[in-house]
Amino acid sequence: MSSRKIKLMQGNEACVEGALYAGMKFYAGYPITPSTEIAEISAQKLPYVGGKFIQMEDEIAGIATAIGGSIAGLKSMTATSGPGFSLKQENIGYAAIAEVPLVIVNVQRGGPSTGLPTAPAQGDVMQAMWGTHGDHPVIAICPSSVKETFYETVRAFNLAEKYRMPVILLTDEVVGHMRESIEIPEPGEIEIYDRLRPETDDQNYLPYGVNDGEIVGRMAGFGEGHRYHITGLFHDETGFPSNSTKNAGVMLDHLMSKISNNTDEIITFEEYLLEDAETVVLSYGSTARSARSAVNKLRAAGHKVGMFRPITIWPFPEKQVVELSKRVKNIVVAEMNLGQLVLEVQRVVEGRTKVHHIGKANGEVVTPIDIIKKVEEVL
Amino acid sequence: MDNNQLVDQYFRKDRLPHIWCPGCGHGVIMHSIVKAIAELGWDKNDVVVVSGIGCSSRAPGYMDFNTLHTTHGRALAFATGVKLAKPHLKVIVISGDGDASAIGGNHLIHASRRNIDITTIVFNNNTYGMTGGQYSPTTPTNEFGTTAPHGNIDAPFDIANLAGAAGATYTARTTAFHMNQMTTIIKNALEHKGFSLVEAISVCPTYYGRKNKKGDAPQMMKWLKDTFIDIKVADKLPEEKRVGKLLMGEFKNVQKPEYTEEYHKIVDRLSGVK
Ligand SMILES: Cc1ncc(C[n+]2csc(CCOP(=O)(O)OP(=O)(O)O)c2C)c(N)n1
Ligand code: SF4
């Protein structure tokens, strides 16, 4: 029998547990429903592990301070919901171009604006991808359960450290607030990735120079003996600004390709009853729970229906969806918005099969019955 | 230490010359900051200089420390992260008047309130230099900027006293003309435990000077010389001699619990406890 602790906890609590498991030592943020418990539990727990918590004056400060913590060498996180996520966008871009590891949790709620503060939504899918200005890589992860929130938070930290970039954990109110029992793994059970640091005596240290066989430059913490410059301007390997279009091209290529060259490692998904499926429900986050239940009921009624669930939604599991589109008759995208991820599915499918959409943005979840009705329509 | 030694030891010579216009006051202030650090003999590896965006905010790139050029107005928030994460670091923020008190005004008052041990040097040129001379929160009423072509109707901020009122435990004002005083004041601010703010009055002949007929750089410097009087001197002057003068010097210097130390008391109390 496993000696592991079994606990009943909320998604938001599992997020903090995952972050601590991954080595989070720094949290800065500003409270907002339905993400607030992440701040509260971080405030409670971080000092016990020698970590730091600070409640800043707003969300912009929250992410800026978390970036500062990461630059000083600590694994950092900030969490927010809809309006707060909008405020953080400029500095998400900063972390992307300056290549600073950071985890940003967005427990989505109904919008736009102050919207429906306590109601669930999945309305920030496109904001996660395109919210900040300019071109930059994005990793966004959508867990569906409390347990997955734990594991995916650990993974978000690992990816952030490995690829030196901000990683977005895009949960939703249902996942954040529901309670499920979860077994917390022992230390060492899940691999933890720490950013590569330069040798202390490296006299020729280049903060953005990538060594052979490595993906990103080695990152020194401020105060650890390597004096270097970090900026949100386009810069060269030294970290100092460069206006050259040639250098900008090289840098953008590096930023984008560190992700595009490693999509197989980054992209995760779940396939459910897909082998003989003719209709696929594509769903993510808490909506995928309704989708699973709908698929089970439709199967019981004799329909060849399965589910595809992106866990990593950015980068999008393009290869897998292309593959599906070649063999199924219908893809039904179910999500808590009026049509966001469906755009990506349509783009990827390129008309090879029919793409349908079922979406709600009124603060109600998409129910199994909603999905069953839609599938029966298109069958 | 003479100037050559200072440049050799504390500047990134391969990053010079700087981008500032001839006659800009920003270089003088940067020089004073570095001189103050040199006089304190701080280890360069322990010094972190953080800036936002603006002409002034380009200074860290020239200085041989751990340097961080962030987003407009947010330098204090980034700096708060660095300082809280590693409290032994000496964290200095360089900011323009717009950077510090317009877009960054919220961070300024809250960093002051927290009394976190960061020194902020505001390069106040009374205008937005980098974007071409728009009016800023410190442009005096009735003066001009490219976005105040008919005269500015806003009331200006007094940044040093704003920070003091919000809780900063050390505040001072000095000018690009009064270099020796500036170096002393910055040194005092750097040594002060808690949030310290130095409002360093700069000159922007290119935009502010031209728009407001303040003359060229030497004339603007002369204006600083003739207009600013030390608060201690001013206290002894008769009323009529204070007309038209502006105050400089140390405004506030008190001790209060410092943020990162208070946080560490909590960590010390709890760590090891389960
Ligand atoms: C979010 C954002 N808004 C506006 C700008 C444009 N901008 C760059 S610098 C600046 C003002 C700089 O003025 P100040 O802080 O007084 O510094 P100075 O250039 O005068 O030294 C502005 C408005 C920006 N970079 N980012
Ligand atoms: S525009 Fe003004 S503040 Fe900017 S460098 Fe030129 S003189 Fe200095």
Side-chain angles (χ1 to χ4, degrees), chain A residues 52 57 72 94 222 229-230, chain B residues 67 69 71 84 86 114 263:
Chain A
K52 317 284 168 77
E57 48 273 14
Y94 184 92
F222 269 15
H229 188 60
I230 301 180
Chain B
T67 53
H69 180 227
T71 45
L84 182 59
K86 284 208 182 122
R114 265 179 216 118
Y263 194 88

Side-chain angles (χ1 to χ4, degrees), chain B:
Chain B
M1 188 176 290
D2 68 27
N3 278 345
N4 284 338
Q5 285 170 313
L6 202 67
V7 172
D8 274 348
Q9 281 193 35
Y10 291 93
F11 283 92
R12 291 166 167 151
K13 285 198 287 185
D14 52 340
R15 295 291 140 194
L16 297 169
H18 56 65
I19 60 157
W20 296 315
C21 309
C24 177
H26 287 0
V28 175
I29 309 170
M30 174 170 73
H31 177 246
S32 264
I33 296 172
V34 168
K35 203 162 169 224
I37 295 171
E39 286 178 14
L40 290 170
W42 282 354
D43 183 339
K44 292 194 285 186
N45 289 325
D46 290 343
V47 179
V48 178
V49 187
V50 187
S51 71
I53 299 291
C55 292
S56 43
S57 290
R58 286 303 191 94
Y62 309 124
M63 303 157 80
D64 185 18
F65 304 107
N66 304 281
T67 53
L68 182 57
H69 180 227
T70 70
T71 45
H72 191 31
R74 316 300 169 197
L76 267 168
F78 279 78
T80 298
V82 173
K83 181 72 188 178
L84 182 59
K86 284 208 182 122
H88 76 276
L89 294 175
K90 320 266 191 201
V91 180
I92 301 166
V93 166
I94 287 177
S95 194
D97 42 301
D99 198 58
S101 73
I103 191 164
N106 200 27
H107 311 310
L108 176 67
I109 58 175
H110 287 277
S112 300
R113 170 180 67 87
R114 265 179 216 118
N115 197 35
I116 186 162
D117 186 24
I118 291 172
T119 296
T120 294
I121 321 274
V122 181
F123 291 40
N124 183 1
N125 56 9
N126 304 97
T127 192
Y128 289 173
M130 180 144 272
T131 39
Q134 297 79 26
Y135 68 103
S136 90
T138 60
T139 305
T141 311
N142 298 327
E143 290 200 346
F144 297 91
T146 55
T147 45
H150 312 297
N152 173 28
I153 59 171
D154 282 11
F157 266 143
D158 173 335
I159 293 181
N161 285 313
L162 173 73
T169 44
Y170 181 98
T171 64
R173 185 183 296 130
T174 174
T175 91
F177 177 82
H178 302 87
M179 253 204 85
N180 289 338
Q181 186 209 40
M182 180 181 282
T183 308
T184 310
I185 279 186
I186 291 175
K187 231 162 82 176
N188 293 346
L190 292 174
E191 281 191 305
H192 176 82
K193 189 194 284 175
F195 188 76
S196 53
L197 179 134
V198 177
E199 184 180 349
I201 307 295
S202 186
V203 293
C204 172
T206 306
Y207 293 116
Y208 180 69
R210 200 159 41 89
K211 274 269 152 200
N212 290 290
K213 304 200 164 52
K214 303 255 174 194
D216 57 9
Q219 277 174 289
M220 290 183 85
M221 282 290 190
K222 183 169 182 305
W223 181 82
L224 294 180
K225 171 176 179 267
D226 295 342
T227 308
F228 282 85
I229 47 170
D230 198 275
I231 184 164
K232 288 195 210 99
V233 179
D235 280 347
K236 292 177 197 125
L237 284 182
E239 192 67 38
E240 66 275 12
K241 289 214 166 161
R242 279 159 47 185
V243 178
K245 300 283 185 194
L246 297 173
L247 297 180
M248 61 180 187
E250 271 182 15
F251 299 156
K252 188 175 175 189
N253 188 353
V254 297
Q255 290 297 330
K256 280 209 180 125
E258 191 275 326
Y259 191 84
T260 60
E261 286 191 356
E262 292 304 299
Y263 194 88
H264 267 260
K265 284 184 194 161
I266 297 178
V267 173
D268 289 345
R269 202 166 69 224
L270 298 181
S271 48
V273 187
K274 274 276 162 325

Side-chain angles (χ1 to χ4, degrees), chain A residues 22-28 62-78 91-105 137 139 153-168 193-198 205 207-208 216-222 228 230 255 258-259, chain B residues 68 78 85:
Chain A
M24 169 178 67
K25 283 283 177 335
F26 197 92
Y27 181 102
I63 183 168
T65 304
I67 293 173
S70 183
I71 286 170
L74 305 187
K75 288 190 182 178
S76 301
M77 179 165 95
T78 185
N91 283 329
I92 294 177
Y94 184 92
I97 195 170
E99 297 191 69
V100 181
L102 176 71
V103 174
I104 302 141
V105 187
I139 298 179
T153 306
V154 176
R155 197 167 74 92
F157 271 93
N158 284 347
L159 292 170
E161 294 284 315
K162 182 161 188 180
Y163 297 106
R164 261 185 90 167
M165 63 182 279
V167 172
I168 297 160
Y193 192 94
D194 295 324
R195 70 189 70 168
L196 294 178
R197 296 174 189 256
Y205 173 58
Y208 296 95
V216 293
R218 291 177 166 250
M219 184 172 170
F222 269 15
Y228 67 106
I230 301 180
L255 286 185
K258 66 184 179 181
I259 300 311
Chain B
L68 182 57
F78 279 78

Side-chain angles (χ1 to χ4, degrees), chain A residues 16 27 30 46 48 89 103 105 124 126 141 184 205 213 238 246 248 260 284 288 318 332 360:
Chain A
V16 179
Y27 181 102
Y30 190 77
L46 272 168
Y48 286 100
Q89 290 296 340
V103 174
V105 187
D124 304 345
M126 281 298 168
I141 303 169
I184 301 281
Y205 173 58
T238 62
K246 180 161 171 275
S260 58
Y284 53 94
E318 188 161 334
V332 178
K360 275 189 183 173

